[in-house]
Amino acid sequence: MSKLFGGWTSKRSTHEGREGREAVTYLAAAWCLSYPDEELLGRIPLIRAALSEHDGALAPFESVLRQLETIALPDVQATYVQEFDLSRRHSLHLSYWTDGDTRRRGEVLGEFKRVYRRSEVLVDLDGELPDYLPMVLEFAATVDPAAGRDLLLGFRPSVELIRLALEDDKLAHADLVRAVCDTLPGPSPADRNAVMRLARQGPQTESVGLDPYDPRLLPLSSSKG
């Protein structure tokens, strides 16, 4: 995790109000959705303290934090690999949900890189694809809130599909992904058909050059694997 985000530094040191709550939620979600390691365990007190400064912000993270505190780290890591790395069902790569393995996906990934490059902050991908949700969340929290939020809005159908998949399988991470969705305008879609309708409507704000809205590419299958 430190290698993934080590090249990023915050452009501002203080956050207040809604923006502050969003920044804390995004950064905590970025850490908790990343591969769990000793560094993440050491950050748990910081995560709790930061979220506790905003009414109700800690609650969606409690299940994941309790698992990290009570389950042996190798077991937590094995579960994470099984659910997020070996299964596409919970893929944390946003363009997977809109473009799958199509040729167009390469263009979308290139645009993510251009967004990061325009921030004028060194971004160390460390082997990850640039549409990795924890990376986008940390970018929104600590580098460029406006551009990061536009990425989340532009790929909201992807984030909502991740949430629905996690909810279907009753995984603890579903609550914190919902907390991210709750920072975006309007209610979350109730099911996959509603996500498809959201996708057809297009972005709810001007996005940063990405056009992922081809609802034919959004997967509706709930099959494992």
Side-chain angles (χ1 to χ4, degrees):
M1 190 158 48
S2 60
K3 292 181 180 179
L4 182 61
F5 302 124
W8 292 1
T9 57
S10 178
K11 284 185 175 180
R12 56 185 182 179
S13 58
T14 59
H15 302 272
E16 296 180 356
R18 180 184 63 82
E19 290 185 357
R21 184 189 180 102
E22 286 183 3
V24 170
T25 297
Y26 291 166
L27 188 55
W31 289 350
C32 290
L33 285 169
S34 298
Y35 179 74
D37 55 15
E38 293 287 352
E39 184 177 4
L40 176 57
L41 296 184
R43 283 174 165 170
I44 291 176
L46 174 61
I47 293 172
R48 286 188 178 280
L51 290 169
S52 295
E53 293 182 1
H54 303 274
D55 291 343
L58 176 60
F61 291 82
E62 277 291 4
S63 293
V64 170
L65 295 177
R66 283 198 298 269
Q67 288 183 359
L68 292 168
E69 291 169 328
T70 59
I71 301 175
L73 182 58
D75 293 335
V76 175
Q77 291 173 330
T79 298
Y80 182 94
V81 170
Q82 181 63 41
E83 298 294 350
F84 293 102
D85 293 340
L86 300 182
S87 173
R88 292 187 177 186
R89 180 175 173 81
H90 309 128
S91 174
L92 296 177
H93 294 98
L94 298 178
S95 68
Y96 163 74
W97 297 94
T98 55
D99 296 281
D101 295 323
T102 65
R103 180 181 304 175
R104 183 175 179 276
R105 189 180 183 190
E107 301 175 3
V108 175
L109 293 173
E111 183 58 33
F112 272 92
K113 291 181 180 180
R114 286 188 284 274
V115 172
Y116 296 152
R117 194 175 300 122
R118 286 196 291 268
S119 72
E120 299 182 352
V121 175
L122 177 64
V123 177
D124 182 5
L125 299 180
D126 193 40
E128 274 295 348
L129 295 176
D131 64 337
Y132 184 51
L133 179 56
M135 183 178 295
V136 175
L137 289 169
E138 184 147 345
F139 179 78
T142 66
V143 179
D144 191 329
R149 183 175 173 83
D150 277 352
L151 287 175
L152 292 172
L153 285 167
F155 281 84
R156 182 171 187 175
S158 299
V159 182
E160 298 286 2
L161 285 171
I162 293 170
R163 172 185 62 80
L164 288 169
L166 293 170
E167 289 177 350
D168 286 347
D169 292 340
K170 297 179 172 56
L171 296 181
H173 294 81
D175 290 339
L176 63 88
V177 175
R178 174 172 283 280
V180 171
C181 295
D182 286 345
T183 69
L184 304 177
S188 284
D191 53 35
R192 286 169 177 78
N193 288 330
V195 174
M196 295 290 283
R197 290 194 293 272
L198 175 66
R200 294 187 186 100
Q201 293 171 9
Q204 293 166 290
T205 188
E206 185 68 23
S207 65
V208 286
L210 281 72
D211 183 22
Y213 292 95
D214 186 343
R216 294 171 301 174
L217 299 177
L218 289 170
L220 290 181
S221 173
S222 60
S223 61
K224 297 279 186 179

